[in-house]
Amino acid sequence: EGTTYAYNNPSFYSHCEKKDVKQTVIGNTVKVRLEKGKTLEVIKKFDGKVPDEVKDNEFTFSAYYDDQDKMPLAYRKYELYKLVNGVWTIQPGVRATDASGLFYLHADEKAVFTNVKTDLLKVEEKSSIRWETFINTQDLQAQEKRTITFKNCYLPLLYVQKEVQGYPERLDITKESFKMRLEQSSDGGVTWTPASDTNYYLVDGIRLGIIEPTILQTGMTGADGTFTIRGGETVALTPGSADTLWRITEVDSGAAWECVSPTNGTKEVLLPVKGASVIFVNNYKYKDIYLTKTITHQDVMECVETFGFKITTGEAESEQPLADVAWTLLENGTDTGVAGKTDK
């Protein structure tokens, strides 16, 4: 009961060769105060609209001592409670954290740890782009208890995917970038406000179900709500809560591309709770012209003459020379490394 003390009273054998003195040295007594452990409650709750498919999601927590060593609260037993008809009800079974201090909770569950150093103990929830987490910490000194509540709001994902088509095989589409803008309207589409400083994630594909997309890279929209996407990429945005109106517009396709879908390069989305996706399709404007020269009067290996060609564009009465256009010499469909540009 009360405060407990530990004592450290070291002693050691000493031999001073210069003075030939041998003795046992008794160190100073150190009195260390050990405070009594307290109770820690970790509660998990939902807030706002949550899809039925994710209401039974399991959330991962890590507990560790927030000191220099960051030692995990490993193999620590805890009691699990579930909120049943408004009453916290203890659940049967024995539970403990793992070697890394991890434990798991569903919504309306709580883990109760006893005899822990609550002032040093840190509890974190594994982050997810689908959830926004709000944390409330309450200390009840009279009960020697700390309660940490993790409340999660579901964030519908808005996916933007870029498809490109009609481009030559030699073109590296991963280097072709397109500028997009995200905007929000709070008056039914009358006025639009850029979604500045909004997180977005380059992911491995569209995942509208409960499966988490794999995050490849993170970014943030600019002050004008713009972000960049490349050919074949998928971007996931977390613009806000469900039932909000958003507009995605392709503002810069580059000189060689035209956006063919959606119409006019813009799409409005009333974001549902399960999320939504928009696919932007771009066609490559330019096509390759293949020019083949055939001779029949002699063996081609013996022909040393050169032949000149003129390429024009437009109708006969208004045709213009196709000047300063790159060309490559192929032999049997293979690049020979010989290249140049058309003259004026």
Side-chain angles (χ1 to χ4, degrees), residues 169-320:
E169 293 182 1
R170 58 178 171 78
L171 187 67
D172 185 358
I173 62 171
T174 62
K175 296 181 179 179
E176 300 294 313
S177 60
F178 306 85
K179 192 174 185 180
M180 319 295 290
R181 177 183 289 125
L182 177 67
E183 299 168 292
Q184 182 187 14
S185 177
S186 57
D187 55 11
V190 178
T191 58
W192 295 92
T193 303
S196 59
D197 301 327
T198 298
N199 291 325
Y200 70 87
Y201 308 86
L202 180 63
V203 295
D204 62 339
I206 297 174
R207 305 283 188 269
L208 291 178
I210 62 175
I211 300 176
E212 288 274 337
T214 300
I215 299 175
L216 307 176
Q217 189 177 331
T218 61
M220 184 173 289
T221 61
D224 56 354
T226 58
F227 62 95
T228 299
I229 188 171
R230 300 182 185 276
E233 289 184 343
T234 302
V235 165
L237 299 123
T238 53
S241 58
D243 301 326
T244 49
L245 184 61
W246 299 90
R247 181 172 70 180
I248 308 100
T249 304
E250 184 165 318
V251 295
D252 188 359
S253 304
W257 299 90
E258 60 179 348
C259 185
V260 296
S261 179
T263 306
N264 298 324
T266 186
K267 180 70 174 180
E268 295 181 13
V269 178
L270 183 61
L271 192 61
V273 68
K274 294 183 180 180
S277 62
V278 181
I279 299 176
F280 282 76
V281 181
N282 287 60
N283 279 347
Y284 193 67
K285 291 181 181 179
Y286 307 125
K287 306 300 178 184
D288 287 345
I289 299 176
Y290 291 89
L291 179 63
T292 303
K293 178 61 180 177
T294 303
I295 58 174
T296 58
H297 68 286
Q298 67 179 119
D299 189 326
V300 294
M301 300 302 294
E302 298 175 355
C303 182
V304 294
E305 295 184 39
T306 58
F307 301 86
F309 297 88
K310 181 180 181 180
I311 304 176
T312 59
T313 181
E315 301 296 334
E317 62 275 7
S318 60
E319 64 181 25
Q320 297 291 327

Side-chain angles (χ1 to χ4, degrees), residues 105-164:
L105 293 175
H106 297 82
D108 292 333
E109 288 183 347
K110 73 175 178 178
V112 178
F113 298 86
T114 58
N115 197 27
V116 293
K117 300 176 182 178
T118 57
D119 292 340
L120 295 177
L121 197 61
K122 184 84 170 180
V123 180
E124 294 180 348
E125 181 181 356
K126 182 180 179 182
S127 62
S128 166
I129 64 174
R130 291 185 185 273
W131 299 96
E132 185 176 13
T133 304
F134 299 92
I135 303 173
N136 178 265
T137 301
Q138 185 178 16
D139 285 302
L140 300 177
Q141 300 294 345
Q143 302 178 26
E144 297 186 326
K145 180 174 68 174
R146 169 172 288 185
T147 300
I148 307 176
T149 302
F150 290 81
K151 186 177 292 186
N152 287 49
C153 295
Y154 187 77
L155 297 176
L157 296 181
L158 176 57
Y159 290 94
V160 178
Q161 190 173 77
K162 171 58 66 179
E163 291 185 2
V164 289

Side-chain angles (χ1 to χ4, degrees), residues 69-81:
D69 298 327
K70 304 291 182 183
M71 184 176 296
L73 189 69
Y75 307 118
R76 177 57 70 94
K77 180 182 175 182
Y78 66 90
E79 294 178 332
L80 180 67
Y81 288 77

Side-chain angles (χ1 to χ4, degrees), residues 58-90:
E58 187 177 66
F59 298 86
T60 303
F61 295 85
S62 62
Y64 62 92
Y65 286 106
D66 193 17
D67 53 17
Q68 185 176 359
D69 298 327
K70 304 291 182 183
M71 184 176 296
L73 189 69
Y75 307 118
R76 177 57 70 94
K77 180 182 175 182
Y78 66 90
E79 294 178 332
L80 180 67
Y81 288 77
K82 193 172 185 64
L83 193 63
V84 180
N85 297 324
V87 178
W88 287 112
T89 305
I90 192 170

